Amino acid sequence: MRVIVQCPSCKRQTDSGDLPVDGKFHCACGEVLRVPQVLAKDAAVVRCSSCGGPRTADEAACGFCGADFTVHERDLDTICPSCMARITSSARFCHNCGTRIAVEGKSGTPTDYPCPACGAEHRLDSRTLGQPPAAITECRTCGGLWVGCETFKLLTERVQAQGPTPAGLPGEAERPAQARSAAQRGPLYRYCPQCHQMMARRNYAKWSGVIIDSCHEHGIWFDEGELYALLQWIRRGGQREAAALERQETERAERRLQMAKMPSRIDRKAGGAGGSGFTLPEGEDSSLLMDLLGTLFGRR
């Protein structure tokens, strides 16, 4: 039975192919979809499968487009993504609930690449994401994505060109946090599915909060939800913010280095019950010294 899954975010419909129940695949928008447990049902023909027009009484043909209302059992090999009624594979609308059927693709074609998270017994499937389409591979079991270096560059350039996401977009605030809190699957350190060398594990751009596994020559592995989280971080201007934070850290490091090179010329006050103190070196920037002292005593 052909199961069509509708994305809750972009409403695109995708043929799940031969995936089993609970199998995972990616929508063209990047959303991770699961094949649902389907309890198919036979429903009365109440709408035209060609134009979606309602059927009146027991008429044999649609009064709007003239299509035959007869449904043959041998044609009912597809599941409506909305009402789970069995419909014909050529239907443009569900004859039960009237949902428009507009399948935009089919879950991936198997490749020889092993999944870095699930192991060699699980192979990655080729897919396309976005418009214009960008080629990626995905794991049907864990929902992870393998993205080539050039493809990732294309995706980042695309989201940067789109500009910031309008405030209040449903799910926008929650998704990155959900992706970062997802449990680690498989080994901590993964191997590149192409060259089989151990990949570097790092926080992308140091400040994004998305931990990626990358092969310098071939691409990047993203666990379920991580690519979406990272692209949204980039779209919100995360790379610019990371560059600014990196400059601040560099400036602080340079100031500490200057302080380490300063001569120690502290003049203690002589005698008296008033205690002791020190004077700052002449000609030096006192803010540098105070920065160093704050660092030594745990104050920033």
Side-chain angles (χ1 to χ4, degrees), residues 26-50:
H26 287 78
C27 174
C29 72
E31 177 83 35
V32 177
L33 306 179
R34 292 175 182 266
V35 180
Q37 175 71 52
V38 175
L39 297 176
K41 60 183 180 181
D42 292 325
V45 179
V46 294
R47 290 184 178 273
C48 176
S49 62
S50 295

Side-chain angles (χ1 to χ4, degrees), residues 12-273:
R12 288 186 176 93
Q13 297 173 4
T14 306
D15 185 344
S16 63
D18 59 353
L19 280 177
V21 174
D22 287 333
K24 298 179 182 179
F25 64 98
H26 287 78
C27 174
C29 72
E31 177 83 35
V32 177
L33 306 179
R34 292 175 182 266
V35 180
Q37 175 71 52
V38 175
L39 297 176
K41 60 183 180 181
D42 292 325
V45 179
V46 294
R47 290 184 178 273
C48 176
S49 62
S50 295
C51 70
R55 182 184 188 183
T56 58
D58 293 326
E59 59 184 1
C62 176
F64 296 90
C65 70
D68 189 353
F69 275 128
T70 302
V71 176
H72 301 287
E73 180 66 26
R74 57 184 170 82
D75 294 329
L76 302 180
D77 58 357
T78 302
I79 302 297
C80 171
S82 295
C83 69
M84 299 302 168
R86 292 195 292 180
I87 60 177
T88 177
S89 59
S90 60
R92 295 174 56 196
F93 294 86
C94 175
H95 63 253
N96 181 57
C97 67
T99 295
R100 182 178 180 83
I101 307 300
V103 180
E104 296 193 16
K106 189 175 181 178
S107 62
T109 303
T111 72
D112 292 330
Y113 295 154
C115 174
C118 299
E121 64 274 15
H122 295 272
R123 300 290 171 171
L124 301 179
D125 294 341
S126 62
R127 287 297 309 278
T128 57
L129 289 180
Q131 190 61 38
I136 56 92
T137 54
E138 68 177 353
C139 177
R140 295 184 175 194
T141 302
C142 69
L145 286 176
W146 174 249
V147 183
C149 295
E150 290 302 315
T151 300
F152 180 67
K153 181 180 179 182
L154 172 66
L155 293 174
T156 56
E157 290 175 349
R158 184 179 295 171
V159 296
Q160 287 173 333
Q162 292 172 349
T165 304
L169 187 66
E172 178 65 20
E174 296 84 357
R175 292 188 186 215
Q178 290 175 352
R180 287 196 294 270
S181 63
Q184 169 75 32
R185 183 186 181 94
L188 178 61
Y189 291 97
R190 279 78 176 269
Y191 290 86
C192 171
Q194 292 183 239
C195 67
H196 309 296
Q197 299 297 310
M198 183 177 289
M199 294 186 286
R201 187 169 175 81
R202 59 189 175 88
N203 185 352
Y204 181 83
K206 192 176 179 179
W207 306 94
S208 68
V210 179
I211 309 299
I212 63 171
D213 301 276
S214 62
C215 172
H216 179 70
E217 293 187 13
H218 298 114
I220 302 173
W221 173 257
F222 295 93
D223 286 323
E224 179 183 343
E226 288 181 342
L227 177 61
Y228 183 94
L230 182 56
L231 291 179
Q232 293 306 311
W233 177 80
I234 293 173
R235 190 176 181 182
R236 291 193 299 269
Q239 287 183 313
R240 292 190 297 273
E241 295 176 2
L245 291 170
E246 191 66 26
R247 286 195 297 271
Q248 294 176 13
E249 276 207 345
T250 301
E251 291 172 358
R252 285 196 293 266
E254 291 176 349
R255 292 176 64 184
R256 294 190 184 102
L257 181 61
Q258 292 178 24
M259 289 303 305
K261 294 179 179 179
M262 288 178 60
S264 178
R265 294 179 295 170
I266 300 177
D267 298 327
R268 297 187 179 280
K269 293 182 180 180

